[in-house]
Amino acid sequence: MSGKPKLYYFNGRGKMESIRWLLAAAGVEFEEEFLETREQYEKLLQGGSLLFQQVPMVEIDGMRMVQTRAILSYIAAKYNLYGKDLKERALIDMYVGGTDDLMSFIMMFPFLLAEDKEKQRAFIVQKATGRYFPAYEKILKDHGQDFLVGNSFSWADVHLLEAILMVEEKKSDVLSGFPQLQAFKARISSIPTVKKFLEPGSQRKPVPDDKYVETVRRVLRMYYDLKAN
């Protein structure tokens, strides 16, 4: 294994994108191996690299880690983005969990039938503006600090910014009623490591397209269509 973390996934967002975000926010350079064929995937399976027969998989510090949440927790702790004590870590876990719930509605979007996408788009915006964004707006307003937890940059901030940008791709003015989140977005986006990741040419992946969807379907042998909520 090389000195840099190595990420094994498709050349697209999916569950790996949050890992890319967190590594980038921590200022950590990483390498990627993109899965493009079923043979590549089966080689990882046969080699015993995928403990639960799933990707993402990350090689880091002599380990082959799977399970997205475990990978993210390790990175956050390793690079001091996981709070200063147990209470702060619990808050970060809670906020990240909420953001994960919102992201899950968005992650399935590219795989939906065309006729279901508008329904899901409306559902995503409704959940964001009716449930998740009001909660984060209140957190920021109540404590009056720049970051979600302990007035220090953490995994929770990185995750929320990622989610905000994902929802804005579905409705560009979705933050119009959330002044605290507008200011939060501007602050976090201006952090040097985050700003660099947001610039063209970074390892941040674009909105999933048909090619990405077809590659995932072919490699994982997904021969079904998802239905919207």
Side-chain angles (χ1 to χ4, degrees):
M1 299 183 187
S2 70
K4 296 179 182 178
K6 187 171 183 179
L7 284 49
Y8 293 80
Y9 200 68
F10 307 98
N11 188 11
R13 291 183 182 176
K15 291 187 175 182
M16 186 64 88
E17 190 69 355
S18 292
I19 296 169
R20 297 183 186 107
W21 265 91
L22 194 57
L23 285 168
V28 179
E29 294 183 357
F30 56 89
E31 300 173 349
E32 300 189 76
E33 181 170 317
F34 299 126
L35 300 181
E36 298 176 344
T37 66
R38 179 70 186 183
E39 289 71 26
Q40 284 177 285
Y41 181 64
E42 289 180 346
K43 184 177 180 180
L44 290 175
L45 290 173
Q46 293 163 5
S49 295
L50 305 182
L51 182 62
F52 300 112
Q53 302 178 27
Q54 296 172 315
V55 289
M57 191 265 283
V58 175
E59 291 181 347
I60 184 171
D61 294 343
M63 299 183 291
R64 289 186 174 94
M65 295 193 69
V66 295
Q67 292 297 313
T68 308
R69 188 59 181 259
I71 297 166
L72 288 165
S73 295
Y74 182 81
I75 293 167
K78 179 178 173 67
Y79 295 105
N80 300 314
L81 295 170
Y82 212 170
K84 69 178 185 296
D85 55 31
L86 192 60
K87 182 177 180 180
E88 288 192 359
R89 182 167 293 195
L91 289 173
I92 290 168
D93 283 338
M94 184 167 65
Y95 298 159
V96 166
T99 310
D100 270 341
D101 291 344
L102 175 57
M103 284 182 172
S104 69
F105 303 133
I106 305 171
M107 206 166 294
M108 66 179 286
F109 186 86
F111 297 90
L112 293 173
L113 295 169
E115 58 265 31
D116 289 327
K117 285 189 175 180
E118 283 309 308
K119 179 182 177 182
Q120 184 69 1
R121 188 188 307 274
F123 178 81
I124 290 165
V125 172
Q126 186 272 321
K127 287 295 184 183
T129 58
R131 178 182 296 181
Y132 298 101
F133 288 175
Y136 295 116
E137 182 81 1
K138 185 177 187 300
I139 291 164
L140 291 165
K141 184 176 181 179
D142 285 354
H143 66 41
Q145 297 174 337
D146 289 344
F147 305 102
L148 286 172
V149 178
N151 205 25
S152 296
F153 184 46
S154 77
W155 172 21
D157 302 306
V158 179
H159 217 50
L160 179 54
L161 177 61
E162 182 188 0
I164 287 171
L165 296 179
M166 290 170 73
V167 179
E168 285 186 329
E169 290 168 349
K170 301 293 178 273
K171 189 175 188 294
S172 60
D173 64 347
V174 73
L175 289 186
S176 60
F178 301 98
Q180 296 290 333
L181 286 179
Q182 291 176 41
F184 172 87
K185 174 190 167 186
R187 282 195 304 274
I188 305 304
S189 297
S190 68
I191 292 172
T193 54
V194 176
K195 183 178 180 181
K196 182 179 179 181
F197 190 61
L198 290 172
E199 292 173 349
S202 79
Q203 288 169 286
R204 184 186 179 210
K205 305 307 177 207
V207 176
D209 58 13
D210 291 343
K211 180 180 179 181
Y212 166 78
V213 170
E214 172 55 32
T215 301
V216 173
R217 287 184 184 280
R218 183 177 66 254
V219 173
L220 298 183
R221 294 180 176 168
M222 294 170 56
Y223 301 123
Y224 59 88
D225 291 304
L226 297 173
K227 298 293 288 183
N229 288 278

